Amino acid sequence: MAFTSVDDPSIYFNITLYTGNATDDRTVTGVGFQPDWVWIKNRTDSEQHRLQDAVRGATKNLKSSGNGAEETTSNTVKSFDSDGFTLGIDNAINGSSDAMVSWNWKANGSGSANTNGTINTTVSVNTTAGFSIVSYTSNGSASQTVGHGLGVVPNMIISKNRDTSGSTYGKWVVYSSFLPTANDKKLLLNETATASTTNEWGDADPTTSVYSVHTSGDGSTNHTSDKIIAYCFANVQGFSKCATYVGNGNADGTFVYCGFRPAWVMIKNTSSSNDWIIFDIKRDTLAPNNPVGRKSLEANDSAAEVTRTTKDMDYLSNGFKIRTSDGTQNTSGETYFFMAFAESPFVNSNGIPNNGA
């Protein structure tokens, strides 16, 4: 069996850097495909993260760094294009002379009907990349199911109530199959909180076709008659990995095996209150040389990019190694959840290491 089915990760996930110009109908190219989920952060200014996808449609944005409802505006992403996207003039995504980053995922366009669950969904799915976008209208009933389209069990689900804001129903609820008793645990993408007990997932494990949702908890999965969006991920060898590691509190830190050289890594301490810290290989001025991970953004925080003076991590051919004892990444004995996408597989489908000649 081939080590991976994804020899070129950049055709399903890619990172694009650009400089804002505050001009309407600004086109950003270089993504390499028509993206279906675009996550943009202004690196220069303190601005909310903007998340838009092809299922909800252009002009509809959510903010991972807040608990607000979905906004419709013509000033953010206006269209998803064959090699990128077109922007309006919002400072968060196109501020004059501001440094910007967009993280881009490929699903399958605006999606199609899925009737596998007790609640019907619209699903845009890329089974090769283990990624789907799921949209549905909740019914407020206990122990419902929704179809995710992956064909395998998801390892991570990020769910957001689009209609409701605030600390009760507006939270970004995250499921990870790697948390203990995962079907009654949650993380919150918009908060620093530790992993906690919940009934968002109906106390039932996801299957290859559906995952469970419930009316109780934070209401981000099945609050009455609200529109819900979810991003679902299944680990793909050589391309993506969601899992956990345990910190050792040492600058010669934990090595985390991924099966690929990472392009993008997001880490959350599940044991203590810490930020969702995001690193990528294109923003780091030292890349491709190690150490990398010196330029960080936080999914839960609107703050501008921080340039760290410590050695945060090495990107290796088969994973990453922590190079700090900072609590966001490496407190001794504490458990960290991570989500990573590849720059290059450890071994490609022809048995060649890191796509070498």
Side-chain angles (χ1 to χ4, degrees), residues 215-244:
T215 187
S216 66
D218 287 316
S220 290
T221 63
N222 198 25
H223 188 238
T224 304
S225 300
D226 285 346
K227 294 189 291 294
I228 310 293
I229 195 74
Y231 306 104
C232 303
F233 302 88
N235 290 350
V236 175
Q237 185 164 272
F239 172 71
S240 64
K241 189 164 186 179
C242 302
T244 58

Side-chain angles (χ1 to χ4, degrees), residues 35-40 50-62 71 73 75-80 86-87 93 103 133 231:
D36 297 307
W37 185 28
V38 176
W39 180 341
I40 298 175
R50 302 302 172 97
L51 286 68
Q52 298 185 228
D53 63 70
V55 175
R56 291 182 292 129
T59 76
K60 296 184 182 297
N61 70 86
L62 291 164
E71 297 176 348
T73 171
N75 291 327
T76 52
V77 174
K78 302 176 74 171
S79 66
F80 303 98
T86 298
L87 299 172
I93 50 85
W103 303 306
I133 305 169
Y231 306 104

Side-chain angles (χ1 to χ4, degrees), residues 119-153:
I119 299 175
N120 292 339
T121 60
T122 297
V123 176
S124 177
V125 60
N126 184 337
T127 55
T128 302
F131 171 55
S132 69
I133 305 169
V134 177
S135 176
Y136 62 95
T137 300
S138 57
N139 63 18
S141 298
S143 301
Q144 301 293 288
T145 58
V146 295
H148 55 69
L150 291 171
V152 294
V153 176

Side-chain angles (χ1 to χ4, degrees), residues 41-48 91 95-96 98-99 302-305:
K41 179 66 178 80
N42 187 319
R43 303 165 58 195
T44 303
D45 292 345
S46 179
E47 292 279 0
Q48 299 270 28
N91 191 72
S96 179
D98 287 350
S302 61
E305 181 178 82

Side-chain angles (χ1 to χ4, degrees), residues 155-156 178 233-244 256-260 264-266 318 320 337-342:
N155 297 110
M156 181 179 183
F178 291 91
F233 302 88
N235 290 350
V236 175
Q237 185 164 272
F239 172 71
S240 64
K241 189 164 186 179
C242 302
T244 58
V256 182
Y257 178 81
C258 294
F260 50 80
W264 186 94
V265 179
M266 179 167 68
N318 58 352
F320 60 93
F337 170 78
F338 74 92
M339 178 184 188
F341 292 89

Side-chain angles (χ1 to χ4, degrees), residues 296-315:
S296 66
L297 292 163
E298 288 77 43
N300 57 286
D301 197 321
S302 61
E305 181 178 82
V306 173
T307 300
R308 297 171 173 237
T309 58
T310 58
K311 300 177 180 180
D312 278 74
M313 67 174 67
D314 290 342
Y315 283 178

